[in-house]
Amino acid sequence: MTAAGQSISPAQAPPALRRWVEQVASRTRPDRVHWCDGSDAEYRLLIQQMLASGELLKLNPATHPGCYLHRSNPSDVARVENLTFVCSESREDAGPNNNWMAPAEAHRKMDALFDGCMHGRTMYVIPYCMGPIDSPYARCGVEITDSAYVAANMKLMTRMGAEALARIAGDGSFVKGLHSLGELDPGRRFIMHFPESLEIQSYGSGYGGNALLGKKCHALRIAGWQARQEGWLAEHMLVVGIENPAGVTHYIACAFPSACGKTNLAMLIPPSSMPGWRVWTVGDDIAWLHPGPDGRLWAINPEAGYFGVVPGTNVKTNRQAFEMIRRDTIFTNVGLTADNQPWWEGIDEGKPAIDWQGRPYDPATGPAAHPNSRFTVSARQNPNYSPMADAPQGVPISALVFGGRRSTLAPLVFQAHDWQHGVLVGAAMASETTAAATGDVGVVRRDPMAMKPFAGYNFGDYWQHWLSIARRVPQLPGIFHVNWFRRDASGRFLWPGYGENLRVLAWIIERCEGRAAADETAIGAIPRRDSIKLAGLDLPDATIAELLSVDVAQWRREADEIDSYLAGFGSRLPAELRGELESLRARLK
Ligand code: GTP
Ligand code: SPV
Ligand code: MN
């Protein structure tokens, strides 16, 4: 069976792929099979079909050309961490940080769910490449899905179609991702990972990281497993180039938990009081980091688009992102104005008429846009897309930055003493939960390296792997920790954030160049007041002092909590990390 309009034929696929597609089709029994070629014409066709079926609504073409709204089922608006499983042969390999199910049991469960589930639907076969097509670090996969929305999003988010298929034929292996919307019933929803057989199976959700399998499922959970075996890292990190007024560009990679500012930092606009500085986006969510031939750590962005948080985006916080999503963008779960423009909390213009569920807007029934509403847009629409973003070898990394959303405790910025201490700083990260996943919002939880939801194996082994990077990379990047989210007693943010974050990044880069001054504290090196560029920023001295202070009594309690968290990993916890924690405690005495 083939569908009209497709321009690649199954005959071009390697036999292993053809066989798998046939097996899936005979289990799921779709009415049609469409092999995606990744062309613009195919994208337009998908859009037309979704407009006809009601899966998409066309937004005001005068103000938002090429923009569409998709409304999710209201029970399907975020990642579902409690329904996400790592199905390794051994439970210990998945670790206490993952839900685990035995592979045989998971396959039985999923086979039953997939049985006949695509009857009446089209099955899309989506070959995709994570990373530049010609990069030695790129990896391919194929997602089979019965969702046209997933196919259209994959076109924007990955290098999808004929070129990926050609690379798969050459590579000889690929990640097999099988996805069905099913009944969108939270009681029949599972996101399963089989790292040993490079398989992902996802049923019952059409949302983001649950359904776009190239993203978190492949590029973090499965790739992370492979990275450990092969000596590299797959991380929940943005990658950005910071160009100073002398024209020197440093690349940094930052791990912040979901909805904690990666896209915004990756697209940062320098404040007017920092003339000559420029920021270049390489990636906004995921980095694959490899020891390079020159002894440095190099990064590629496996993705080709952004699935970004909409609320809070406005001309002041991020004009660049705001302009980028005025054309050729798919919006998911935003509200609408009376003249059919997208509307969200924090847009700072217009008025909502319809909420994200399609009801007349009523503030009593909640926000107009869902707090986890998103835009999907091709990275090529970003005016500051780095010319190095498509480089096959990636970019060399000068600094790694961890960060969380902490209203207290964590200072604006500090630097780890060395790599091993930096691994502890990452492992000890904690952050207030956000709407990016189902569950409570605003509760502090441990989120090591911003990977709690995404590490596809035991965190104990993961930290050991991080420690081993020190032996593989002679010129290690510096490791830092930032916090843009400190609040005062009345709940207001102490730090203005967004573009002003460049002041902190400038200090980080100057530390890496050995130029900026710092005071050593128990937790790490903190900027001297005069070594951080504060000119043009109207912040009271007392606020700066508070942002750069270390409350030793509070940190002692934090060290106790870190201790009991790390103890949960038992014998898999690396001895070096335990030693680092003991050193931290000694410094806090
Ligand atoms: P994921 O896509 O879920 O991984 O999120 P992300 O880390 O890319 O977060 P994003 O940049 O989309 O920001 C999430 C929310 O935090 C948005 O509502 C932003 O407006 C807000 N935000 C981003 N940066 C800052 C900042 O520096 N300060 C403050 N106060 N808020 C910020
Ligand atoms: C995140 O939650 O970290 C995201 C969005 O980037 S999702 O694609 O749903 O994972
Ligand atoms: Mn993310």
Side-chain angles (χ1 to χ4, degrees), residues 258-264 285 309 311 374 405 485 493 497-498 501:
S258 301
C260 290
K262 288 182 302 300
T263 303
N264 277 274
D285 197 50
V309 174
R374 298 263 169 176
R405 193 181 270 273
F485 300 96
F493 289 117
Y498 299 102
N501 294 335

Side-chain angles (χ1 to χ4, degrees), residues 132-210:
I133 284 277
D134 55 350
S135 170
Y137 303 139
R139 294 297 171 92
C140 292
V142 177
E143 175 165 359
I144 296 180
T145 178
D146 56 10
S147 163
Y149 168 81
V150 165
N153 274 268
M154 288 292 283
K155 153 80 174 164
L156 299 177
M157 295 295 298
T158 71
R159 291 144 177 105
M160 181 254 256
E163 280 190 314
L165 186 64
R167 183 164 163 154
I168 288 168
D171 284 356
S173 91
F174 59 95
V175 170
K176 297 184 173 98
L178 173 54
H179 168 256
S180 173
L181 295 170
E183 306 80 15
L184 295 176
D185 172 359
R188 287 162 58 83
R189 180 175 295 162
F190 290 100
I191 324 296
M192 303 286 198
H193 302 74
F194 305 90
E196 282 123 340
S197 57
L198 303 184
E199 283 177 283
I200 305 156
Q201 297 197 345
S202 166
Y203 188 91
S205 166
Y207 193 84
N210 301 330

Side-chain angles (χ1 to χ4, degrees), residues 79 215-216 236 256-259 262 284-286 374 454:
R79 283 182 295 97
K215 197 173 176 58
K216 299 310 197 330
H236 191 204
F256 309 156
S258 301
K262 288 182 302 300
D284 82 323
D285 197 50
I286 299 177
R374 298 263 169 176
F454 310 120

Side-chain angles (χ1 to χ4, degrees), residues 271-499:
S272 55
S273 50
M274 291 181 73
W277 290 81
R278 297 202 62 173
V279 171
W280 302 98
T281 318
V282 177
D284 82 323
D285 197 50
I286 299 177
W288 285 356
L289 303 160
H290 284 261
D294 65 348
R296 291 187 290 178
L297 193 62
W298 289 69
I300 63 162
N301 169 19
E303 301 190 278
Y306 312 125
F307 184 63
V309 174
V310 181
T313 310
N314 66 48
V315 177
K316 284 197 261 28
T317 54
N318 201 323
R319 180 173 38 78
Q320 216 117 255
F322 189 76
E323 296 299 336
M324 176 177 71
I325 59 178
R326 290 187 80 103
R327 67 174 176 94
D328 300 316
T329 299
I330 298 176
F331 288 89
T332 299
N333 298 335
V334 296
L336 289 174
T337 63
D339 66 345
N340 223 29
Q341 297 189 47
W343 194 93
W344 53 85
E345 277 63 27
I347 191 175
D348 268 8
E349 60 180 55
K351 273 209 292 278
I354 306 286
D355 76 5
W356 64 276
Q357 299 188 59
R359 307 172 301 191
Y361 173 62
D362 175 357
T365 59
H370 188 276
N372 192 34
S373 53
R374 298 263 169 176
F375 58 77
T376 319
V377 67
S378 162
R380 282 171 310 203
Q381 268 174 234
N382 175 358
N384 283 355
Y385 188 56
S386 167
M388 295 301 289
D390 292 299
Q393 78 280 12
V395 295
I397 296 297
S398 300
L400 297 176
V401 183
F402 296 121
R405 193 181 270 273
R406 303 280 314 247
S407 27
T408 60
L409 186 76
L412 182 61
V413 57
F414 64 91
Q415 181 179 14
H417 300 302
D418 55 21
W419 183 265
Q420 190 167 296
H421 177 222
V423 175
L424 176 68
V425 169
M429 267 171 70
S431 192
E432 289 146 25
T433 51
T434 66
T438 55
D440 295 339
V441 169
V443 184
V444 176
R445 73 156 175 182
R446 295 282 145 204
D447 192 350
M449 281 83 169
M451 287 287 281
K452 166 69 190 76
F454 310 120
Y457 61 100
N458 193 317
F459 262 146
D461 300 335
Y462 171 83
W463 296 321
Q464 188 70 66
H465 181 52
W466 261 82
L467 291 165
S468 79
I469 296 294
R471 291 193 310 273
R472 304 173 207 258
V473 177
Q475 284 191 65
L476 287 165
I479 299 185
F480 297 79
H481 187 280
V482 299
N483 179 18
W484 316 139
F485 300 96
R486 277 288 283 272
R487 293 178 194 256
D488 66 14
S490 64
R492 273 190 302 262
F493 289 117
L494 288 174
W495 178 251
Y498 299 102

